[in-house]
Amino acid sequence: MNFQLTEERQMLQDSLRRYLADTVSPEMLAEATESEAGHSETLWSGLAEMGVIGALFSEHDGGFGGAGFDLAVVFEETGRAGAFEPLVASGVLAGGLIAARGSEAQKARVEDIIGGAILGFAHSEPGARYDLDHVETKATKDGAGWRLDGRKTVVEHAGAAEAFVVSARTGGETRDAEGISLFLVPADAPGLTTRDYPLNGGGRAGEVTLEGVSLPGDALIGAEGDAFPAIEEAAARATCAICAEALGLMESIRALTVDYLKQRKQFGQPIGKFQALQHRMADVLIEIEQARSAVINLAGHLAADRVTRERHVSATKNLIGRAGRLVVEEAIQLHGGIGMTEEYALGHLAKRLTMVDHRFGDTDHHLERFIRLSAA
Amino acid sequence: MDLTYTDDQKAFRDEVRTFLNDKLPSRLSGKVASGKRLTKADYEEWHAILNERGWLGVTWPAEFGGTGWDAVQRHIFEEETTRAHAPRIVPFGLNMLGPVLMKYGSKAQQDHYLPRILNSDDWWCQGYSEPGAGSDLAAVKTTAVREGDHYIVNGQKTWTTLGQYANMIFCLVRTSKEGKPQEGISFLLIDMDSPGVEVRPIVLIDGEAEVNEVWLQDVKVPAENLVGEENRGWTYAKYLLTHERTNIAGVGFATTALENLRRIAGLEQSSGKPLIENPFFAAKLAQVEIDLMAMATTNLRTIAAAAAGQAPGAESSMLKIKGTVIRQEINALTRRAVGPYALPFVSEALDEGSNVDPVGPDYALPATQAYFNNRKLSIYGGSNEVQRQIISKAILEL
Ligand SMILES: Cc1cc2nc3c(=O)[nH]c(=O)nc-3n(C[C@H](O)[C@H](O)[C@H](O)COP(=O)(O)OP(=O)(O)OC[C@H]3O[C@@H](n4cnc5c(N)ncnc54)[C@H](O)[C@@H]3O)c2cc1C
Ligand SMILES: Cc1cc2nc3c(=O)[nH]c(=O)nc-3n(C[C@H](O)[C@H](O)[C@H](O)COP(=O)(O)OP(=O)(O)OC[C@H]3O[C@@H](n4cnc5c(N)ncnc54)[C@H](O)[C@@H]3O)c2cc1C
């Protein structure tokens, strides 16, 4: 039993924490959401230079990490800073899927991604809610190539992506696990349009429409029709990443709130002297420790067999959703009016943490899924 | 024990329903129902319609141009107007200042201001809170110094709801530093067009600028704008707060929010079925509905007691807590119900006639905004912690 980080990960954590603390400011984040890129180009190139994107990939894939605990370290820190760079979209999802299934030629993209190229993962569709197997987008054979038609929704960082990994059906019915294939599609492919918009909690996403997008035969990533297990695994890794991000957000929110309880005076004393508030904050602390253990559980089981891994995905995501809601609501309440303002640092962190529950399945979705997986 | 309305009350309810049917513009109810942004003109339009019927002064006695309704009638009116998605009545002039002027204002103040409130000639806002005076309201520092026939006011108010629409603000100001803090507070009416008044918007986490900072620098206020006596403002302020707490349970708001949630859960699909058929979701929905059913009766019990002449006491603290917790739970469930579409923030889509389409269903963004915005329910009007403190002291005698 050893809950210490390895020396390399400790170093990564320290340098990343220092870099983000020095670089990220609330103004920078607000500007990033408003900007055309939808993220901070300064921050993104800084992260690439530090090798943070490389930490998301294994040595075999050209990186120097890639394990659950590498994800946990990186994303806890970006969460702490409230950053929303395309690490999940480009690194964990698009890059992860190309690394897992791509041809040698396609894998050259992984190197680009590690260097800072941005790719998106266009998978979710209207009506899919959180079901990963809900794919209606069609890929039909077109001579030696393919033709894609369909709609993808809330595709994170769509506006900044130079290409997308797109899921499409080459067989089966909507919500069949079988028959889903992956394609590499340049963002400027004729027939592909993106409507890009800001998100609650920072960053941008887009609706991606594919109308008769024609692709060469080598756009297919991996074999035809059997991409679902890889998608599920990539989503598991992404879930680990955003749960760690949520943990970092919780830690920052806790620090802000404890500080505020000490500073803010009402009735002639710091409000942190009121036992009613002390107990509430103690409960928040307990739930954050639960969240930390849940992230460790998931990070430690990402490489396990499917059912074990997915039970941990759902267990951790469910707990993070519940803890996140408690942390957000208590932090705002304990701050009073100031906690509701956009300008004060809590506002962004609280929204971002709330939105974690709307990505890759909410608490209810994962509770139900946990029960189903446990019965299996 | 009889849980139903009397025949008279039912007839009154029908009268309200007919009125709403005939007079509430569908343009306004449509905006309210779909969570669109209301403008100042929208509120004023609705106020004018109510005023024409003599129903704007809901809580006012007939002698001041009000309805003279009893507590049950007021409750029925609230219930029906929220159910019909009418805009809310902006409370600052009608439910807050009005009653204070009726009880403590001079005849001249009553004659001047009360009709102006009913006719929407003035839009009032509430200048109680300051950066250093939130729950501890008696800590207000804004000073008013008497100089001849006027006061000179200096200080800062904050969290002033809809102050950007207001031309008048009623303020708690410090006129004495002697004795207990409560004993040096006065209640002053300030024209916001006076030199030295500056209003700065505060954007909240839902992205809307509903509250403001109001800065007061050497503002000259005629002495006749003092309400009652100097240094007795705390008494008037507390009297106002008991009126602010009418309809504190928000049963009507909770009921329409629950209906909205049920509608959304019927439209959202989860694994190929309507979300409302998902047993996990259905259980949560049922739970909050059960709580609301009981709370509605707690509310009616208080109203019946009030109609029988009992002054509301610490019961309003119970209703405040339970009512806000229930509404916040409904808001949280609604946010969850919209799934991934809680994420897009396309604010322009909320303006009437906007040519920007929402991303996903049009109910998604209002659901997220309501969740964030209604965190305020447990903070303002006496925070829920302060209400618990009142219950422990006044009811439990701890
Ligand atoms: C099943 C059982 C087995 C036990 N076994 C042992 C044993 O083997 N050896 C032994 O020595 N003792 C034992 N105890 C005693 C136990 O340690 C005491 O019950 C405990 O310390 C609480 O004291 P109390 O019961 O006097 O309650 P009190 O201390 O009077 O507390 C009453 C309530 O007030 C609360 N409270 C007290 N102080 C504060 C504060 N400052 N702030 C907020 N809330 C406060 C408490 O949390 C509690 O809710 C046992 C008790 C039980 C119930
Ligand atoms: C959206 C919104 C609209 C508002 N509109 C208006 C308006 O129009 N006009 C106006 O004058 N004001 C308005 N307010 C201000 C509101 O009344 C205050 O926010 C409220 O009184 C709380 O004060 P505060 O925000 O300074 O929090 P604080 O009083 O600093 O409270 C911070 C935390 O400490 C807790 N706390 C404080 N004292 C105690 C205690 N003794 N025991 C236990 N816990 C305690 C509180 O419950 C809270 O959790 C508005 C506020 C909001 C959020």
Side-chain angles (χ1 to χ4, degrees), chain A residues 169-207:
Chain A
R169 218 161 251 297
T170 45
E173 303 288 323
T174 313
R175 294 205 312 280
D176 282 348
E178 294 80 36
I180 300 172
S181 303
L182 294 176
F183 297 88
L184 191 58
V185 185
D188 59 2
L192 185 154
T193 47
T194 299
R195 175 188 175 193
D196 147 271
Y197 47 82
L199 297 178
N200 272 307
R204 297 178 84 88
E207 302 298 286

Side-chain angles (χ1 to χ4, degrees), chain A residues 32 37-45 47-48 52-53 56-57 74-75 78 83-96 113-114 116-121 155-162 202-204 241 245 352 359:
Chain A
H39 68 106
S40 158
E41 279 161 346
T42 319
L43 201 51
W44 183 241
S45 55
L47 292 173
V52 172
I53 309 172
L56 309 177
F57 294 89
V74 167
F75 285 94
T78 57
F84 40 79
E85 295 304 301
L87 286 164
V88 171
S90 191
V92 179
L93 291 167
I113 289 172
I114 291 175
I118 297 171
L119 271 72
F121 180 42
V155 178
E156 295 190 14
H157 296 285
E162 60 178 55
R204 297 178 84 88
E245 184 190 343
R352 186 138 191 91
R359 299 162 69 201

Side-chain angles (χ1 to χ4, degrees), chain A residues 153 195 200 264 329 333 364, chain B residues 131 284 341 343 357 371 378:
Chain A
T153 195
R195 175 188 175 193
N200 272 307
R264 172 68 169 171
E329 294 181 356
Q333 183 66 27
D364 289 347
Chain B
K284 293 210 167 79
Y341 291 114
L343 281 153
D357 289 329
Y371 170 75
S378 48

Side-chain angles (χ1 to χ4, degrees), chain A residues 7-284:
Chain A
E7 210 175 306
E8 291 81 12
R9 288 188 183 123
Q10 188 64 59
M11 276 167 57
L12 176 65
Q13 184 182 63
D14 293 345
S15 55
L16 185 52
R17 187 174 301 180
R18 220 173 311 115
Y19 170 71
L20 291 170
D22 291 346
T23 317
V24 178
S25 65
E27 300 76 49
M28 174 192 222
L29 296 176
E31 271 172 36
T33 293
E34 290 306 313
S35 73
E36 206 182 315
H39 68 106
S40 158
E41 279 161 346
T42 319
L43 201 51
W44 183 241
S45 55
L47 292 173
E49 265 167 46
M50 281 181 77
V52 172
I53 309 172
L56 309 177
F57 294 89
S58 69
E59 278 178 37
H60 174 262
D61 294 324
F64 58 87
F69 289 108
D70 298 304
L71 298 180
V73 164
V74 167
F75 285 94
E76 183 180 340
E77 295 314 315
T78 57
R80 207 182 282 277
F84 40 79
E85 295 304 301
L87 286 164
V88 171
S90 191
V92 179
L93 291 167
L97 284 164
I98 296 170
R101 287 175 64 86
S103 64
E104 283 313 310
Q106 288 166 338
K107 280 188 185 162
R109 287 282 189 158
V110 173
E111 203 182 317
D112 297 345
I113 289 172
I114 291 175
I118 297 171
L119 271 72
F121 180 42
H123 177 62
S124 292
E125 299 188 2
R129 204 173 175 81
Y130 302 121
D131 293 332
L132 290 173
D133 52 11
H134 183 118
V135 176
E136 260 182 277
T137 296
K138 285 244 157 357
T140 38
K141 281 234 166 72
D142 184 8
W146 298 91
R147 181 198 151 100
L148 263 55
D149 291 279
R151 275 184 63 198
K152 298 293 184 179
T153 195
V154 200
V155 178
E156 295 190 14
H157 296 285
E162 60 178 55
F164 295 98
V165 171
V166 178
S167 59
R169 218 161 251 297
T170 45
E173 303 288 323
T174 313
R175 294 205 312 280
D176 282 348
E178 294 80 36
I180 300 172
S181 303
L182 294 176
F183 297 88
L184 191 58
V185 185
D188 59 2
L192 185 154
T193 47
T194 299
R195 175 188 175 193
D196 147 271
Y197 47 82
L199 297 178
N200 272 307
R204 297 178 84 88
E207 302 298 286
V208 177
T209 308
L210 304 139
E211 270 175 321
V213 174
S214 26
L215 298 171
D218 64 4
L220 182 69
I221 305 172
E224 186 184 327
D226 69 353
F228 184 73
I231 294 172
E232 195 181 54
E233 188 174 354
R237 294 169 59 78
T239 305
C240 179
I242 67 168
C243 286
E245 184 190 343
L247 176 62
L249 286 160
M250 289 179 205
E251 291 286 10
S252 281
I253 291 174
R254 173 177 76 133
L256 267 180
T257 310
V258 170
D259 258 9
Y260 193 76
L261 290 173
K262 290 179 183 165
Q263 307 286 328
R264 172 68 169 171
K265 288 206 176 87
Q266 286 288 273
F267 304 101
Q269 54 184 318
I271 56 173
K273 291 282 171 222
F274 297 125
Q275 195 181 54
L277 305 190
Q278 293 171 346
H279 286 192
R280 302 266 288 270
M281 210 52 216
D283 284 339
V284 164

